[in-house]
Every structure is written in structure tokens, then in C-alpha cells.
Amino acid sequence: MPEPTKKEENEVPTPAPAPPPEEPNKEKEAGTAPPKDEEEVFPPNALPPGLCSRALERKDSEWSLGESPATEEQEKQNANSQLSTLFVEKPQTGKVKVGGNITFIAKVKAEDLLRKPSVKWFKGKWMDLASKAGKHLQLKETFERQSRVYTFEMQIIKAKENYAGNYRCEVTYKDKFDSCSFDLEVHESTGTTPNIDIRSAFKRSGEGQEDAGELDFSGLLKRREVKQQEEEPEIDVWELLKNANPNEYEKIAFQYGITDLRGMLKRLKRMRRVEKKSRAFAKILDPAYQIDKGGRVRFVVELADPKLEVKWFKNGQEIRPSTKYIFEHKGSERIMFINNCALTDDSEYYVTAGDEKCSTELFVREPPIMVTKLLEDTNAYCGERVELECEVSEDDANVKWFKNGEEIIPGPKSRYKVKVEGKKHTLIIEGATKADSAEYSVMTTGGQSSAKLSVDLRPLKILTPLTDQTVKLGKEICLKCEISENISGKWTKNGLPVQEGDRLKVVHKGRIHKLVIDSALIEDEGDYVFTPDAYSVTLPAKVHVIDPPKIILDGLDADNTVTVIAGNKLRLEIPISGEPPPKAIWSRADKAITEGSGRIRAESYPDSSSLIIDTAERDDSGVYKINLKNEAGEAYANIKIKVVGYFIERKKKQSSRWMRLNFDLCKETTFEPKKMIEGVAYEVRIFAVNAIGISKPSMPSKPFVPLAVTSPPTLLAVDSVTDTTVTMKWRPPDQIGAAGLDGYVLEYCFEGTENWIVANTDLIDKTKFTITGLPTDAKIFVRVKAVNAAGASEPKYYSQPILVKEVIEPPKIRIPRHLKQTYIRRVGEAVNLVIPYQGKPRPELTWKKDGAEIDKNQINIRNSETDTIIFIRKAERSHSGKYDLQVKVEKFEENASIDIQIVDRPGPPQVVKIEDVWGENVALSWTPPKDDGNAAITGYTIQKADKKSMEWFTVIEHYHRTNATITELVIGNEYYFRVFAENMCGLSEDATRTKESAVIAKDGKVYKNPVYEDFDFTEAPMFTQPLVNTYAIAGYNATLNCSVRGNPKPKITWMKNKVAIVDDPRYRMFSNQGVCTLEIRKPSPYDGGTYCCKAVNDLGTVEIECKLEVKGGLSFCRLLLQGVPPNIIDSYLRDLQSSNPEEY
């Protein structure tokens, strides 16, 4: 087993020349490092390039200055930077020549910031440049008020080569963070590749961790060609620091690129210590050891006293003997072997003997990873899976992949995947595209390999080409082709892109492409081309649309007769159609009519053919034939021409003046006179006209009176439907006319037939009729006609068939708003309450009063199909109570209650007493009346009368208490007093008078102060205004109100369905001057239920309840806002609920 090499303190490695990219660079063994103090930890990257970082650092780092493994805090900041972006302009990577100046600028938008953000500049990942500002580094910040932008600048003056590297700018504001990295390259105008130590790319994330030695190629990737430096004699920085004055340390550190001067000075301080002679050790451990990975290292100490016990430690943990750690004793020597050294063994070791210890450091080097099997150039087609393979010298080694020099970072969203199987590493590209054509390379610590990937299109084969098609007008056009690749393509027509629409569909299914056009039109004809994407191949096809010839005779009569006036010119133009344009041939009696200049000739055009007769004669009358023909078929038609004409005249019966009705000859033997007055008698005569002239007039027609039928009835609708009947209703016609309206005829027919059946044998005057005797479950169509002396009008049809089946409509009671509270009437007044309800078939109604049947001798109940009426001619107090209404339709029922209160004037107070008389004052007291008139007593009226005159005068009105003091009485008089009770109906008919009189004594009487007892104001809670049942609209706030009285002030609690409402943001509770309010914010149907208000104090508890029903929701509100009556809205919502019970 080879012994490890010992490191000397002052030995400095010489950089080797840069190797080719394929060969790894080997690092020379470094000398021993000075001993490390246990309590001191030095930051990484303390040495400049050219000094041995292994001898000065406890934790490995990269050669590039300022870079160190990212801490957890930095990783969190990096994560935050992705979540919040503060930069509006980030610093960009720059280049500068040695001795030149360069400025990096960062800008931050301040619109959303209340104060200036904090900005830091770093070199690498940890070195804060704020403390380095000076001659070569200046930091500046400005603020533009107009644009509200902070500008931060970092200027490097007279750059040097060691200034090159990675920089970072961080900006923070409260919980927001943003970061940006950029590079600085310092070079001469001409230069060569610098010396690169491949092992400087190794970076340990932690001492003794499993991931120690993880590769980081950022240092290698940042290298650029720079001027080859002239070799200078090696300078021992340690010797310079030892011999220099302390005030020259900064200058030496800046000159030789030392970034961790503080750490080097600490080590220098330990090196200058005067070592004391050890009493326990005759020979201590060397300061440092270095061994290759997998080797064996030997630690040896010599004891001054062989009897001392020795213990070995690694990072403060005692080492126990094992197959890895072997201990030997040779005299006074104590030896420890470490077998099969790994990167985790790279650590600090010390040995204790008695009270003393000595320590050393072990450095384990990992051999470079070599590429044993190089990448190979690969050709692939688009869409294929591409695998680039290589092999390295170690299993599960860390390698990096690059595409055109840019690192490939695999991830779940990346198209690139890396597969590792031992020494074999594979880069996988799924579904390759042309963009993947590039040079791919793989890099390890000891070498690299590259290869070119070329991705081309697969040769395209046309399996089924497009074919020319000839299609009849209105038929489907289907262009279909099949190619060897499953790719998309574009369709063009006459060089223009084809746009998809209702008729035109583009279908792509696998390798098959279709263009389908429904109902071909003439404009669909043209040259169609399909072009596959990414290929220059085209598939053409021609579409020819043909149409059989057609003769359009819409402008002629039913028998195709054309009448022409003798002597006039006839030009009969017949529209024709067909593709290609057909050839037209006119003939008469199998003799063709040629195109020329004769009196009778034909003219042909692409869309019409004309027959021309100059100066029509009576012999020209006859049948003419037109024949059309093209490649799609032929068509013909016969046209009859009559040479004739008529003039028509009319006059009123009582007039002798005739008026011509047509100035152009009438070709027909029928004519419809217009603009006549209804109810006036007219006569008509006719003149015949031919080529010779006008005939004598015909005999006048019989007098006739023009009458017009009415317009059709309007608004035909279904009123009701049962199992055997249908009731229809409608509105009168908009126009009736002079003939008036005699009645209506209602007709119906069953679905699937056209046999209309008259429902009413006699005309009906009403606009409502019930069709009876219909079979159940049949469907009928219904129409109605208006009839007058001129006949029946055009029918008005019901738009859809009607199902003859009675629909069960659950009952619903519509309590009017004024009946939702207690209905109050005075004695003797009439009570007439109308309660609407709904339900089909006609519901059964039941009324009860206080749970018992109603005496129909005292209370009249009248029921109709839509409402029920409760009527009391003269109300009595015995009619007060709770009236319950039940509406029942089969198994459905609905209940409602109405409270009726019949009130009357109260009786007089029971007893009125004179409690005391003093001076000009009299104290009275009385007890409330025994009969309050079925209403609360609202006050009392007190009157006085002098005993001499006994004339009564009112002294107090509307007084609420049962005791009062009457003042300002006349001294010497004797008074009687009486009290009236008062309620909502007025004062009581009688009053209660004092039995004794009160004498107001004259002067000389001794005034005796009255003795008053303390009045007890305590009172159990009592609701003075109850809660009432309320309807609310979903989405609109609702309130429940009541008033309560009590002393001490009662505690109010609101409950919903017996559950207290506590801390619910949907409810707000108020209490002001005894008025309690519960506000329900934007209620929904879920908020409906029974609400209870509970008042509690020391004297008792009282509760009151009401019901809240939340209606409709959004649809209910919209209908209500549109002016639809609530009963129609409720009927609509019930129909909706019965049709979709699961949604409600």
C-alpha cells in the first residue's frame, strides 16, 4: 500500500498548460498545510488562482472567485425571485479589456413601493461588494421622479484579469425579492486559452457529506480565450505576509488576488505561535496528509511516556477499531491505518494522550472521470425517439450535457431526459424535431465528447392521391387523400386558403386527409390543392359542379298562359338555370323558332331565354314549347299565348258616372276591384279589346255591396285542461270592418290527422269555450275563426299540440300582505277577506276557527276556482280568533292562518279614589277597566267638576298612568273627578266618578308633606310589538323587527330553528330603545325557517316566533323587475320545481 504524500507549508503548485478539451488536466500534489485551529472556521475561496486551495481551505470551492455552495437562505431567496419580479431592467453580461472601465445598471420600478428598496451587489455567491467600494469599484444610485424608477449602478475602474467571474445583484422590498446573475469577462485584444485545472470544477457541498465532490462546471464554462501570461517566478505569499508590515497586508492581498485576507491572517497568526514542547508526545502528527480515493493512509505519533493511553478522534468523534480503522503499537509509536479512503474521510483528525492532543488534516483526492465510450454522430427523422449514449470510467458519475455549448437541464417539463445505468449515460429526446439538430456534448471532470445530431423529414409517400370529381349541384363533394406520414397540412382553392364553415369541413384522421363540402354550389367549382406541412409536395384535384337544366315558370299562371293585347309587342323572358349553361330551343307545332330578325324569333342568354313577337296578331295564339339541354340532362315546358284584352268600369248604384278600373288591358277573365267603400252598392261593366278595337260594353252587373271578413282572432291560449276537456280563450280580431262580428267557430283535429272538427255547432259570442268529450292522453290541434256576413276569417292556430290530460298542480295559498299581520276591525264593521289560492284539479277547502269548525250561521264562506272569501256582515268580539285554512289536492295540501281581532271601546275604570288633597292640588288614583274592548288601553282622560255647577271640564287627556295629580284648583271650591278609559277605538262610553269630593281649603290650613313610597319599576320582559311572518327575495337583505319592554333591561337572543345565532357574519343584530332588529344579508332559500327572539331578565323569560320564506332567487327577481305579477311568477317556479325536483 503506497504511503500518502506529506504536504509542505510553503510549497506552491505550478499551473499546467491547458490541455485539449478531450483530455483531463491533472493537478499536482500539494504540500502540507498549516495546522487548523478547532475553534476557527475560514470562508471558502480565500486563495487566488495559483495558490493551493486544498492547503488553505477546510471546505472545497471552485477556482472562480467568490463562488461557494448556495445556502438554504439563498435557495429560498432564489425561489422567491421567481414569485415576485422587481427589476424592470437587469444587469447584462459584459466584456472589458484589462485596464478598461465598465458599468452595470439595474433599474427598479417604484410605482407600488412606499420606500426605497434595498440593493446589494455580490461577486460569486457570497462576497458583498459594498465593503470593497473604493478606487476600483464605485456604487451609485439615482431616482427619476417622472418615471418613478430607481437606477442602481456598479462601475468597475481599471479592470484586472482577476476581476473576471460571476456577479449577482439582489433587490429586496418587504416580502418581495428579486435576483439577477451576470458575468464579467476581462481579456486582452489577442490572447490564448488560459491554464485550466479540471479539478477546480469539483465542489463539496459539505464536509463529510454523501454528495461531496459534486461537479460544478460553471467555472469551466465561463473561461474565455485570454492573452497567454508570461511565466513569472513563483511568489510565496505566505513568506510575503510573514515578512511584511501589517499596514501592507491590504496592498499584498489586492495585488495577488487574495479574497479572504482575514482567514489567511488568522492562519499566519497560528504559524507565528511559539510552539511549546509537548510533555506527552515525543513526535506529533504531520500538519496534513493527502491520499487518493481508495488508498490507505497511516497516522503515526510517538509518545514520551509509553504508558499513556491514546485515543483517536475524527471531527470530535472517537474512532473505534474496525476493518476500516486499524491501530498498532510499536514501542512508543502509536499508529492508525485508514483503509479504502473515501471522500467522507476527508476531515480533521486528532489524537489525545493524557491532557494533550495533536491534530492533522486528511485530504482525499478523487480521480478524474474519463469518457471511455465517445458519443457518435446520429441521423434521425422527425417524430422519432433519439438516444445519445456514452460511457464513463466510474459508476453513477456526475456528468453534464450540452447543446451547442448551452447546458441541458432535464426536468419534468423538459423534452430532454437523462438515463443513467452504471457507467452508461444516455440523453433521450422524445419526438425529435428539426430544431433538435445541433451539436451535443457531454463533459466530465476528466474529459468530454461531442457528436452531431441531424433530424430530417422522413420521405413522404402518396398512398392515395386526390382525384378530379364531377358533382351535381346540391350533392356532397368529398376530396380524400392518404400519405405515409401522420402530419397536418393545408387546403387551398384556386390558390387561396380554404376556410372551414357550416358546409365545409376539413378532416384529419391519422394519415388520411379529407375535404368535405355539403350541398355543392356552383362557386365550389375550382382547383383544390392539399399541401402537407414541412413538405414541398402538393396533391391537386379539380372539382366540376354540374346542374341539370331547369325552366323557371314562377311568373306565369298556373296553366302557363300568357295574354297579350293584339297589336302590342310580346317579349316573353323565361329564366333558366343549369351548369354548364343549357342550350334553349323554341318551337311551335314541331316547327323550330330560329334566332334571327323575324317577327317571331328567339334570343338566348346564359340565365334566360326569350320569345319575341313583334305586333302580336290573333293567329299568334297557341302553344309554344321551350326545350333545354346540357350534359347533365334536359327539360321542356309548354306555354300558351292568348292575344286578347279587357277594360273594366264601375259606378255607384245611385250614380250615372262610370269609372275605369284598369288603364292597362286585363289579360284574365277575372278582376278584383279595390278601394271600394263597405256598405255601398256598386255596378260593374266590361269592354272587350282586340286588334281591331274596343267592343260595346256588357250589361251592368247586379248591384252588390262589398263586405270584408274580419282579421283572425288574436292571442289564442289554453285556459285549462282536464282528462276529457280543453278550455281555450282568445282575444277579438284587430280589424272587424263594416260587416261587424257575428261570432266565433272553434275547431280541433287530432295529431296525425287533418280532419278538423267543429267544437261549437252554433256561433258563440264569448272569447272562451270548452271542448268536451275528448279522449284522455290524446293530442289535439286547435284553431278559431271569426265569422261575419262576409264569411269566416283566416283561422288563428294554437302553435303546438295540446295533451288532453289534467296536470296536477300542488295547492298554494296566496295570503295578501295586509293579512300576514293581525287583521283588526271594530265591532259592527263588515269583514270581507279574499284569499287567492292555486291548485288543479279544483282543491278541497276547509276553514277552522281556533281549531273548531266555523259556525256558518255567523260567518259566511264562499269558494271559487281561484279564491275563497270569508265574510262577516257585522263583526262581533266573539268573531276574534285564529282562522286556519287548508287547501288539499289529492295527496298535496297547503295550510295558512289568519288572525282576526274585533275591537270595541273599553269600559270605564273600576274605582277612582282621592288619595290626598293639599294646597291647590289633588292626588287621584284608579284601577284599569275590567273590559279593555279586546285592545290595549292606550290612555285615560280625566275631567273635573265644581260641586256648585257640576259642569265637567277636561284637565288631562291621553294619560298613560293609573294615578295623577290635579293642580291649579280654586281655593275654597269643592270638586268631583271622573276618568274615561281609552283604546284604539276611542273613549269608553261611561266614566267612573269619585264618590267623595275634594275640598280645597282656604288659608290657615297646615300643609302636610305627603309620604311617598318608592315605586317599583321592575318589570318582566314583554313584547309590545310581535314578529310577523315575512317573505324575502333571495339576494336582497331582509329584516325581522319586534319591540320589547322590561326592567332590568332584558338580554336579547336570536335563534333560527331553535339554534342560537352567534358570531355569524350573515346576520346583524340591533337593539335601540327597545326595538330589536335582525338583518339577514342576501338570504338564500337555505336561510328560510322559523326565527325566534328571546328576551330574558331576572323577572322572567319571553319568546316570540315568526316564519321567514325566501323566494325565487335570481330568476324570481328578474321576473319581478320585468313587471310579472307574483302569482304568475310563483306558478312558473312551481312548474319548474315539479319538472326538475332534483335541482330544487
Side-chain angles (χ1 to χ4, degrees):
M1 178 64 68
E3 294 292 333
T5 59
K6 300 180 180 179
K7 301 181 182 179
E8 299 297 334
E9 292 182 11
N10 299 329
E11 185 178 347
V12 179
T14 302
E22 292 81 4
E23 298 181 2
N25 185 18
K26 299 183 179 179
E27 179 188 8
K28 294 183 179 181
E29 295 182 355
T32 53
K36 180 177 181 181
D37 194 343
E38 295 177 8
E39 299 177 356
E40 294 180 349
V41 179
F42 301 96
N45 306 327
L47 293 180
L51 292 181
C52 179
S53 63
R54 298 297 301 268
L56 297 180
E57 296 178 21
R58 176 64 261 156
K59 295 185 178 179
D60 297 341
S61 65
E62 300 178 7
W63 281 111
S64 60
L65 290 177
E67 295 187 0
S68 64
T71 61
E72 294 182 1
E73 181 179 358
Q74 290 172 339
E75 292 176 357
K76 292 179 180 178
Q77 291 177 346
N78 292 337
N80 292 335
S81 68
Q82 298 175 1
L83 298 177
S84 99
T85 302
L86 296 174
F87 284 120
V88 295
E89 181 179 335
K90 298 183 179 180
Q92 304 297 323
T93 297
K95 300 180 181 179
V96 67
K97 295 182 180 180
V98 174
N101 300 338
I102 188 170
T103 302
F104 297 96
I105 299 176
K107 293 186 179 181
V108 178
K109 196 73 172 179
E111 286 185 350
D112 301 328
L113 308 184
L114 300 179
R115 56 181 176 82
K116 185 183 74 174
S118 175
V119 175
K120 292 184 179 180
W121 299 85
F122 294 89
K123 187 172 191 298
K125 297 185 180 178
W126 62 274
M127 188 169 70
D128 191 350
L129 298 179
S131 61
K132 304 297 183 182
K135 179 179 179 182
H136 294 278
L137 177 68
Q138 293 184 3
L139 302 179
K140 181 182 177 182
E141 60 183 49
T142 57
F143 176 67
E144 300 178 8
R145 295 188 178 276
Q146 293 182 353
S147 60
R148 298 192 60 81
V149 174
Y150 287 99
T151 303
F152 301 92
E153 299 181 3
M154 181 183 73
Q155 184 177 13
I156 298 177
I157 304 171
K158 296 182 180 179
K160 297 184 178 181
E161 291 184 0
N162 59 351
Y163 291 179
N166 179 260
Y167 290 79
R168 189 173 79 258
C169 179
E170 293 183 357
V171 58
T172 56
Y173 176 77
K174 292 186 178 180
D175 58 341
K176 298 182 178 180
F177 174 82
D178 205 352
S179 174
C180 175
S181 297
F182 56 96
D183 294 331
L184 172 62
E185 299 179 8
V186 183
H187 57 83
E188 292 288 353
S189 58
T190 59
T192 58
T193 306
N195 295 335
I196 300 177
D197 189 349
I198 190 65
R199 290 184 297 168
S200 66
F202 286 85
K203 178 176 67 176
R204 293 190 180 93
S205 61
E207 187 172 287
Q209 301 297 324
E210 291 297 332
D211 58 348
E214 179 181 355
L215 291 178
D216 188 347
F217 292 94
S218 59
L220 291 176
L221 295 177
K222 295 169 188 170
R223 300 298 181 184
R224 300 291 184 270
E225 292 187 357
V226 298
K227 180 179 179 181
Q228 177 67 36
Q229 297 180 355
E230 296 181 1
E231 293 189 0
E232 297 180 357
E234 296 183 358
I235 298 175
D236 192 340
V237 180
W238 291 107
E239 290 298 329
L240 288 177
L241 292 175
K242 286 180 182 179
N243 301 324
N245 293 327
N247 57 0
E248 296 180 352
Y249 287 161
E250 292 285 346
K251 181 179 179 181
I252 295 172
F254 184 79
Q255 181 178 357
Y256 293 98
I258 299 174
T259 59
D260 190 9
L261 177 61
R262 180 172 172 271
M264 293 189 67
L265 291 177
K266 286 184 178 181
R267 292 197 174 197
L268 184 62
K269 182 179 179 182
R270 293 201 307 273
M271 293 172 62
R272 289 178 173 174
R273 292 176 184 168
V274 178
E275 296 184 0
K276 296 180 180 180
K277 186 176 181 181
S278 175
R279 296 180 181 178
F281 297 99
K283 181 181 179 182
I284 63 174
L285 294 170
D286 292 331
Y289 294 83
Q290 181 170 296
I291 191 68
D292 290 332
K293 180 181 177 183
R296 183 184 189 194
V297 67
R298 178 175 177 265
F299 295 149
V300 181
V301 294
E302 185 176 347
L303 301 178
D305 183 2
K307 296 181 180 180
L308 291 176
E309 183 181 358
V310 174
K311 292 184 179 181
W312 295 87
F313 295 87
K314 173 186 176 182
N315 289 335
Q317 300 291 328
E318 185 178 354
I319 302 174
R320 301 293 182 183
S322 63
T323 56
K324 186 175 182 66
Y325 301 99
I326 300 175
F327 302 106
E328 288 187 4
H329 294 186
K330 291 183 179 180
S332 59
E333 290 185 349
R334 299 294 182 264
I335 305 170
M336 180 180 72
F337 293 93
I338 302 178
N339 295 323
N340 192 18
C341 291
L343 293 178
T344 55
D345 296 323
D346 187 305
S347 185
E348 180 187 22
Y349 295 83
Y350 65 87
V351 58
T352 61
D355 296 335
E356 295 187 15
K357 71 175 182 178
C358 63
S359 61
T360 186
E361 291 186 69
L362 175 62
F363 295 89
V364 181
R365 296 184 303 182
E366 184 177 15
I369 305 298
M370 307 296 294
V371 180
T372 58
K373 182 181 177 181
L374 302 180
L375 296 174
E376 297 180 356
D377 292 343
T378 305
N379 295 323
Y381 291 119
C382 290
E384 290 184 344
R385 171 189 173 106
V386 179
E387 296 185 359
L388 301 177
E389 298 181 355
C390 71
E391 293 186 4
V392 296
S393 57
E394 296 290 339
D395 289 340
D396 299 328
N398 288 322
V399 302
K400 288 189 179 291
W401 291 87
F402 299 87
K403 175 185 177 182
N404 291 335
E406 295 184 3
E407 183 179 352
I408 297 174
I409 301 176
K413 296 183 179 179
S414 175
R415 296 179 55 250
Y416 301 96
K417 296 182 181 179
V418 176
K419 181 180 179 183
V420 180
E421 296 177 345
K423 298 179 181 180
K424 182 179 178 181
H425 293 253
T426 306
L427 176 66
I428 302 173
I429 306 175
E430 298 286 353
T433 62
K434 276 194 170 184
D436 294 323
S437 297
E439 182 177 358
Y440 292 82
S441 58
V442 61
M443 182 177 290
T444 66
T445 59
Q448 66 177 10
S449 174
S450 62
K452 291 185 178 180
L453 171 62
S454 177
V455 181
D456 296 322
L457 293 172
R458 191 187 301 273
L460 185 68
K461 296 180 181 180
I462 301 175
L463 304 180
T464 304
L466 294 177
T467 57
D468 296 341
Q469 292 191 17
T470 300
V471 183
K472 287 188 176 182
L473 187 71
K475 300 296 182 180
E476 181 182 84
I477 302 174
C478 181
L479 298 177
K480 176 181 177 184
C481 65
E482 183 177 0
I483 56 179
S484 58
E485 299 298 324
N486 182 9
I487 57 174
S488 59
K490 295 183 178 62
W491 289 87
T492 60
K493 174 193 173 185
N494 297 331
L496 299 177
V498 172
Q499 301 294 334
E500 285 195 76
D502 295 337
R503 293 192 312 110
L504 192 146
K505 303 294 181 182
V506 175
V507 181
H508 175 203
K509 186 174 183 182
R511 299 179 300 180
I512 298 176
H513 295 264
K514 289 183 180 181
L515 177 65
V516 180
I517 304 176
D518 293 335
S519 301
L521 303 176
I522 299 299
E523 53 266 26
D524 293 330
E525 184 173 288
D527 295 332
Y528 290 82
V529 177
F530 173 73
T531 304
D533 291 342
Y535 288 91
S536 59
V537 180
T538 58
L539 288 79
K542 290 186 177 181
V543 175
H544 180 45
V545 180
I546 62 174
D547 184 19
K550 293 181 182 178
I551 302 173
I552 304 173
L553 301 175
D554 295 342
L556 302 182
D557 296 340
D559 56 352
N560 296 339
T561 299
V562 177
T563 302
V564 60
I565 300 172
N568 289 354
K569 180 179 179 180
L570 171 65
R571 183 181 182 88
L572 178 61
E573 184 175 353
I574 304 298
I576 61 175
S577 64
E579 185 64 27
K583 181 179 180 181
I585 300 176
W586 287 87
S587 63
R588 179 187 181 191
D590 296 334
K591 184 179 179 180
I593 299 175
T594 60
E595 297 183 5
S597 57
R599 189 176 65 85
I600 302 177
R601 61 187 180 274
E603 293 181 0
S604 297
Y605 302 94
D607 57 350
S608 65
S609 181
S610 300
L611 175 65
I612 302 173
I613 302 176
D614 292 332
T615 313
E617 300 176 357
R618 185 178 298 275
D619 294 338
D620 295 333
S621 300
V623 177
Y624 290 77
K625 182 178 182 181
I626 180 174
N627 190 12
L628 302 180
K629 188 175 183 181
N630 67 1
E631 63 180 78
E634 62 178 314
Y636 69 92
N638 294 325
I639 301 175
K640 187 178 180 180
I641 296 179
K642 293 173 62 177
V643 181
V644 71
Y646 301 97
F647 282 125
I648 299 98
E649 292 182 351
R650 80 174 181 201
K651 73 176 184 68
K652 295 181 181 178
K653 183 180 179 181
Q654 298 177 355
S655 173
S656 59
R657 178 173 168 269
W658 291 90
M659 182 177 64
R660 179 167 293 185
L661 300 180
N662 62 319
F663 294 96
D664 296 330
L665 285 178
C666 179
K667 303 175 184 180
E668 305 295 334
T669 57
T670 59
F671 186 81
E672 181 180 355
K674 296 181 179 179
K675 296 183 180 180
M676 292 187 292
I677 302 173
E678 287 189 69
V680 178
Y682 290 90
E683 293 180 349
V684 176
R685 67 181 182 180
I686 299 174
F687 294 87
V689 181
N690 61 12
I692 306 301
I694 302 175
S695 68
K696 293 182 179 181
S698 65
M699 293 296 294
S701 65
K702 293 182 179 181
F704 62 91
V705 177
L707 296 176
V709 297
T710 67
S711 61
T714 59
L715 301 178
L716 179 61
V718 178
D719 185 63
S720 63
V721 179
T722 66
D723 290 341
T724 58
T725 65
V726 173
T727 301
M728 304 298 294
K729 59 182 180 180
W730 59 91
R731 299 289 296 168
D734 294 334
Q735 298 177 359
I736 295 178
L741 177 63
D742 296 337
Y744 300 95
V745 174
L746 191 68
E747 298 176 341
Y748 68 93
C749 75
F750 293 98
E751 186 180 28
T753 67
E754 296 183 357
N755 183 23
W756 288 93
I757 304 172
V758 179
N760 54 317
T761 56
D762 298 327
L763 294 179
I764 55 175
D765 299 332
K766 296 183 179 179
T767 57
K768 185 176 181 180
F769 187 78
T770 300
I771 305 173
T772 59
L774 297 175
T776 305
D777 294 333
K779 289 185 178 181
I780 63 171
F781 290 93
V782 179
R783 67 183 183 184
V784 62
K785 299 178 182 179
V787 181
N788 64 2
S793 67
E794 291 293 326
K796 174 65 176 177
Y797 292 89
Y798 189 69
S799 59
Q800 57 189 5
I802 303 170
L803 178 63
V804 184
K805 185 175 182 180
E806 187 167 15
V807 179
I808 297 178
E809 180 181 344
K812 182 65 179 179
I813 302 174
R814 299 294 184 187
I815 299 297
R817 184 180 298 274
H818 68 282
L819 296 181
K820 293 179 180 179
Q821 301 178 357
T822 302
Y823 184 76
I824 301 175
R825 280 291 179 269
R826 297 186 180 183
V827 173
E829 293 182 347
V831 176
N832 187 17
L833 304 180
V834 180
I835 295 91
Y837 66 87
Q838 295 175 348
K840 290 183 180 180
R842 184 168 180 173
E844 297 178 4
L845 280 74
T846 304
W847 280 96
K848 289 186 178 181
K849 177 178 177 294
D850 296 330
E853 296 294 335
I854 293 179
D855 186 1
K856 295 184 179 180
N857 295 327
Q858 297 183 2
I859 301 173
N860 295 324
I861 304 295
R862 288 176 286 182
N863 299 327
S864 67
E865 294 182 356
T866 58
D867 55 38
T868 179
I869 300 174
I870 182 170
F871 177 74
I872 304 174
R873 189 176 299 278
K874 289 185 178 181
E876 299 178 1
R877 290 175 58 179
S878 60
H879 295 149
S880 300
K882 182 178 181 181
Y883 290 77
D884 298 319
L885 171 62
Q886 183 184 71
V887 180
K888 187 174 182 181
V889 175
E890 294 187 0
K891 62 179 181 180
F892 302 99
E893 64 178 36
E894 178 84 358
N895 296 285
S897 298
I898 299 174
D899 291 325
I900 298 177
Q901 182 179 355
I902 308 300
V903 298
D904 197 2
R905 290 194 293 177
Q910 298 185 42
V911 178
V912 180
K913 296 180 181 179
I914 298 176
E915 298 290 345
D916 195 6
V917 179
W918 73 97
E920 300 174 357
N921 307 309
V922 174
L924 301 177
S925 65
W926 60 89
T927 56
K930 185 178 294 185
D931 181 12
D932 59 0
N934 203 22
I937 299 298
T938 58
Y940 300 92
T941 298
I942 306 168
Q943 294 180 346
K944 68 179 180 180
D946 189 356
K947 185 176 180 182
K948 298 177 182 179
S949 62
M950 288 307 292
E951 294 184 6
W952 294 97
F953 298 94
T954 301
V955 292
I956 299 177
E957 290 183 313
H958 312 303
Y959 190 73
H960 295 284
R961 298 183 180 179
T962 57
N963 51 69
T965 300
I966 311 301
T967 60
E968 298 180 358
L969 299 176
V970 178
I971 297 176
N973 290 353
E974 185 176 358
Y975 292 93
Y976 287 95
F977 300 91
R978 68 180 182 183
V979 180
F980 292 89
E982 183 180 5
N983 65 4
M984 62 183 298
C985 295
L987 296 176
S988 58
E989 295 182 359
D990 300 324
T992 302
R993 198 182 77 173
T994 56
K995 295 182 180 179
E996 302 85 8
S997 62
V999 179
I1000 307 303
K1002 296 182 180 180
D1003 295 340
K1005 184 176 181 181
V1006 179
Y1007 176 76
K1008 179 182 178 182
N1009 290 325
V1011 179
Y1012 296 99
E1013 296 181 358
D1014 293 335
F1015 184 76
D1016 185 11
F1017 290 94
T1018 59
E1019 181 182 13
M1022 178 181 66
F1023 284 98
T1024 58
Q1025 180 64 36
L1027 291 172
V1028 296
N1029 296 334
T1030 305
Y1031 289 84
I1033 299 174
Y1036 291 84
N1037 291 357
T1039 57
L1040 303 177
N1041 300 283
C1042 64
S1043 60
V1044 66
R1045 186 175 70 194
N1047 191 20
K1049 184 178 180 180
K1051 179 182 178 182
I1052 305 301
T1053 303
W1054 287 92
M1055 293 181 289
K1056 175 189 175 185
N1057 297 331
K1058 303 299 183 182
V1059 178
I1061 301 173
V1062 180
D1063 296 334
D1064 193 333
R1066 294 184 300 107
Y1067 299 91
R1068 294 175 60 191
M1069 290 167 273
F1070 307 95
S1071 180
N1072 185 17
Q1073 300 295 328
V1075 178
C1076 303
T1077 303
L1078 175 65
E1079 181 181 356
I1080 306 170
R1081 297 180 175 179
K1082 296 183 178 180
S1084 63
Y1086 170 80
D1087 293 317
T1090 302
Y1091 286 78
C1092 174
C1093 183
K1094 181 178 180 182
V1096 181
N1097 68 2
D1098 296 335
L1099 299 180
T1101 302
V1102 65
E1103 295 181 1
I1104 191 168
E1105 293 181 349
C1106 74
K1107 291 184 178 180
L1108 174 66
E1109 182 177 352
V1110 181
K1111 293 258 182 185
L1114 186 59
S1115 60
F1116 184 91
C1117 298
R1118 286 182 176 176
L1119 293 173
L1120 193 63
L1121 292 175
Q1122 292 175 4
V1124 182
N1127 61 333
I1128 298 179
I1129 299 175
D1130 188 78
S1131 175
Y1132 165 75
L1133 293 178
R1134 283 192 170 275
D1135 294 341
L1136 199 62
Q1137 181 177 0
S1138 60
S1139 61
N1140 298 309
E1142 296 181 355
E1143 297 181 6
Y1144 293 81

